[in-house]
Amino acid sequence: MIGVIDYGAGNLGNVARALNYLNCRTRIIGEPDVLSGIAGLVLPGVGSFASGVEGLKQRELFRPVKNYIFSGRPFLGICLGMQLLFQESRENTGLRGLGAFPGRCEKFSPGESGKVPHMGWNNLRVENKNSLLQQEDKLYLYFVHSYYLPVNPKIVLASTVYGGQRFMSAVNRERVWGLQPHPEKSGSRGLKILRNFVEVVNGDSNSSNRS
Amino acid sequence: MLTKRLIPCLDVKDGRVVKGQQFVNLKDQGDPVEMARAYNQAGADELVFLDITATREKREIMREMVLKVAECLFIPFTVGGGIAGIEDFRSLISAGADKISINSAAVRTPGLISRAAERFGSQAVVVAIDGRRRNSGGWKVLISGGTEETGLELVDWAQEAQERGAGELLLTSMDRDGSRDGYDLEMLKAVNQAVSIPVIASGGAGSPEHLYQAFAEGKADAALAASIWHQDIYSIKECKNYLAERGIPVRPVGEESGEEKEEKEEETLEEKNDGRE
């Protein structure tokens, strides 16, 4: 059973629908009580950094989610959900994120080289092969975001370039993953990444395949 | 780098696709789910479903269609046509639509753009603008399927839509729509110079060259078309190959040969990244 966190922002249904399509059972997590028995957790997202942090706090999910992340169980943040895993964002300075990863989200500057938001299909350069992301040529996924994470070699899994800026499109440390693009909206390539996450979670549940 | 998007537009009436490509392998040509899957496999980057159902009583059918499509289509899709208020946004987004396109309602109630953007995020709000060239220069904005004058100047309205929170503009030339003579490149350029959000070109596509012009000259971020693909004059793959040969970045076709397919064997550990971007 994978939990999909609902903190009141945007359309969280599509991530659950994609997991269900992969024959994975899901539970919508809108309050801390329903977290028990969850083998893996997904934090989807659209909206602002502040709406994410405040949405989690209003539902008394901020601390439990943070505890979950630091407990070493599989966790996947998508788009804003990835940005919330970091310490802070230029979008709402002074507000602390979940802090699983060090760093601050920066804003793309619109100009000759690109519009903001960065919206559409862009390719990922896999920097570090991982259970979620294999080395692939022509890996194009769908992005929609205005803020980005500068590359940090310690946690980067994949990077992408937009408007002359290379940023982290996938990150990982231990059992925590973040994806800036939307795997639930990226066709078969995106579904494959979600399936890999499901397999990480199932591997845990069967207490095997831990490598 | 960010690729240019090709977006087929499907007309939907009473929950059935009435204008879309006749894919040879489809059992039920009007089924939105089958059509959506076929376009996904053909290499479409996104889809637009335009509801041409005349009566509001049948709106619930559109929601049911969106629910079914969202269960098995995992690329972005927009729903438009007859959107009247925030409740339509809520209903269709909760059913699985990624973006909602508004046209007449945005002109009649501009506050709807900002309300929808605040509630669902700008990325979910597409403002569709139908423009017609003025003899005296510039373009005027029409609504109600091109039948009603608004008194609005197109470039001004495009800017206002952005300021109010639109995440994207779907720009249709009424002069070119259905003509297959190519997009109105001047209109595209004029709007693109005035706004900083993505612009989808629409109206007039008849050949891959027209798509190329929309991107290279019109500076469009995406190109929407109907008949060029529906009538199988050109495939999406042919169009993408044409664009790629001329230096327009596109997402390669052929990656979508089916989600159920077994994965390829693992590549070797030593395989080095070639630094491609």
Side-chain angles (χ1 to χ4, degrees):
Chain A
M1 179 83 78
I2 290 184
V4 180
I5 302 169
D6 176 8
Y7 51 96
N11 182 19
L12 312 171
N14 282 331
V15 172
R17 269 185 278 267
L19 289 168
N20 294 153
Y21 182 82
L22 298 170
N23 295 320
C24 171
R25 289 171 64 211
T26 52
R27 183 191 294 163
I28 303 299
I29 309 292
E31 51 180 331
D33 293 352
V34 293
L35 265 172
S36 64
I38 293 294
L41 205 47
V42 180
L43 181 63
V46 289
S48 68
F49 192 80
S51 72
V53 171
E54 280 154 16
L56 286 171
K57 285 184 176 165
Q58 273 162 17
R59 286 162 181 76
E60 296 177 349
L61 279 167
F62 191 86
R63 178 58 57 181
V65 165
K66 193 167 173 162
N67 290 343
Y68 187 100
I69 293 167
F70 283 90
S71 74
R73 283 171 286 177
F75 189 95
L76 172 62
I78 296 170
C79 195
L80 175 67
M82 159 170 155
Q83 298 187 356
L84 289 169
L85 287 169
F86 286 78
Q87 289 166 314
E88 54 184 339
S89 173
R90 287 270 188 207
E91 193 171 10
N92 308 97
T93 47
L95 205 58
R96 306 294 289 176
L98 291 161
F101 299 120
R104 178 178 62 196
C105 309
E106 305 289 339
K107 189 171 192 342
F108 284 119
S109 43
E112 272 298 291
S113 44
K115 295 175 176 180
V116 177
H118 169 222
M119 173 153 72
W121 298 81
N122 203 333
N123 64 330
L124 284 80
R125 187 172 83 188
V126 178
E127 312 272 358
N128 287 298
K129 210 166 131 173
N130 186 274
S131 47
L132 227 60
L133 214 53
Q134 272 87 48
Q135 202 101 18
E136 291 182 75
D137 276 350
K138 297 186 203 161
L139 175 59
Y140 283 83
L141 300 175
Y142 188 79
F143 291 79
V144 186
H145 61 124
S146 300
Y147 292 80
Y148 68 89
L149 272 310
V151 175
N152 173 351
K154 288 185 182 147
I155 55 173
V156 69
L157 269 191
S159 69
T160 295
V161 173
Y162 182 63
Q165 179 66 48
R166 182 171 289 282
F167 63 93
M168 294 196 286
S169 35
V171 294
N172 167 245
R173 182 189 269 180
E174 295 171 15
R175 321 271 292 159
V176 184
W177 285 268
L179 284 170
Q180 185 61 66
H182 288 274
E184 78 282 10
K185 281 290 152 188
S186 298
S188 61
R189 292 304 191 87
L191 290 177
K192 184 177 165 192
I193 294 172
L194 284 178
R195 179 181 286 134
N196 290 341
F197 181 70
V198 172
E199 278 167 13
V200 167
V201 174
N202 288 345
D204 261 24
S205 307
N206 305 335
S207 46
S208 61
N209 287 345
R210 300 205 57 166
S211 53
Chain B
M1 73 195 293
L2 183 65
T3 56
K4 300 291 186 180
R5 291 169 280 152
L6 298 187
I7 309 177
C9 179
L10 307 176
D11 286 356
V12 177
K13 190 162 189 274
D14 302 339
R16 304 273 300 167
V17 176
V18 292
K19 209 167 89 180
Q21 188 176 328
Q22 305 292 301
F23 288 103
V24 285
N25 54 341
L26 292 197
K27 281 190 220 123
D28 181 357
Q29 294 290 345
D31 178 34
V33 171
E34 282 208 56
M35 288 291 259
R37 288 191 130 164
Y39 271 110
N40 176 35
Q41 289 195 4
D45 297 309
E46 221 171 300
L47 291 177
V48 169
F49 291 98
L50 187 63
D51 190 4
I52 58 166
T53 307
T55 55
R56 277 203 68 78
E57 296 81 71
K58 294 196 172 166
R59 303 286 308 171
E60 189 55 29
I61 299 172
M62 196 60 181
R63 184 170 199 274
E64 284 161 22
M65 187 213 85
V66 170
L67 273 170
K68 282 186 207 140
V69 169
E71 268 172 22
C72 66
L73 180 76
F74 299 100
I75 61 171
F77 68 97
T78 301
V79 177
I83 304 296
I86 205 84
E87 173 54 25
D88 289 335
F89 271 84
R90 195 206 56 75
S91 164
L92 294 169
I93 286 176
S94 71
D98 298 286
K99 311 177 190 183
I100 303 297
S101 120
I102 44 173
N103 190 333
S104 305
V107 171
R108 293 195 184 112
T109 322
L112 178 59
I113 303 171
S114 32
R115 280 206 304 283
E118 272 163 35
R119 177 125 176 232
F120 305 105
S122 280
Q123 85 294 331
V125 184
V126 181
V127 171
I129 307 176
D130 293 344
R132 191 180 286 281
R133 200 174 272 267
R134 270 202 198 90
N135 291 333
S136 52
W139 299 265
K140 57 187 178 183
V141 175
L142 301 172
I143 55 171
S144 300
T147 59
E148 202 176 312
E149 301 266 348
T150 63
L152 291 170
E153 169 60 36
L154 183 128
V155 173
D156 294 344
W157 175 234
Q159 279 178 318
E160 185 181 341
Q162 167 176 296
E163 278 156 24
R164 287 181 179 275
E168 202 166 24
L169 299 176
L170 170 52
L171 197 59
T172 303
S173 160
M174 299 301 283
D175 303 298
R176 298 298 179 87
D177 203 27
S179 73
R180 293 197 201 142
D181 287 340
Y183 297 99
D184 187 336
L185 300 175
E186 280 180 40
M187 185 167 99
L188 271 174
K189 264 187 281 191
V191 171
N192 262 309
Q193 276 164 9
V195 302
S196 59
I197 51 176
V199 174
I200 306 168
S202 162
S207 71
E209 191 188 355
H210 294 152
L211 300 172
Y212 173 76
Q213 290 166 343
F215 297 130
E217 291 176 47
K219 306 292 177 198
D221 299 277
L224 179 136
S227 59
I228 175 177
W229 296 315
H230 297 341
Q231 295 170 21
D232 212 10
I233 303 167
Y234 298 96
S235 69
I236 291 168
K237 186 171 187 168
E238 278 175 285
C239 292
K240 283 195 170 178
N241 288 343
Y242 180 94
L243 293 169
E245 283 162 15
R246 284 155 188 79
I248 303 290
V250 290
R251 181 175 68 117
V253 182
E255 314 291 321
E256 294 297 329
S257 45
E259 285 91 52
E260 282 79 21
K261 194 180 65 175
E262 284 296 300
E263 287 171 19
K264 280 183 292 189
E265 62 271 282
E266 283 257 271
E267 281 147 316
T268 62
L269 273 168
E270 293 306 311
E271 193 162 310
K272 281 276 192 291
N273 193 297
D274 63 2
R276 130 191 353 251
E277 185 56 65

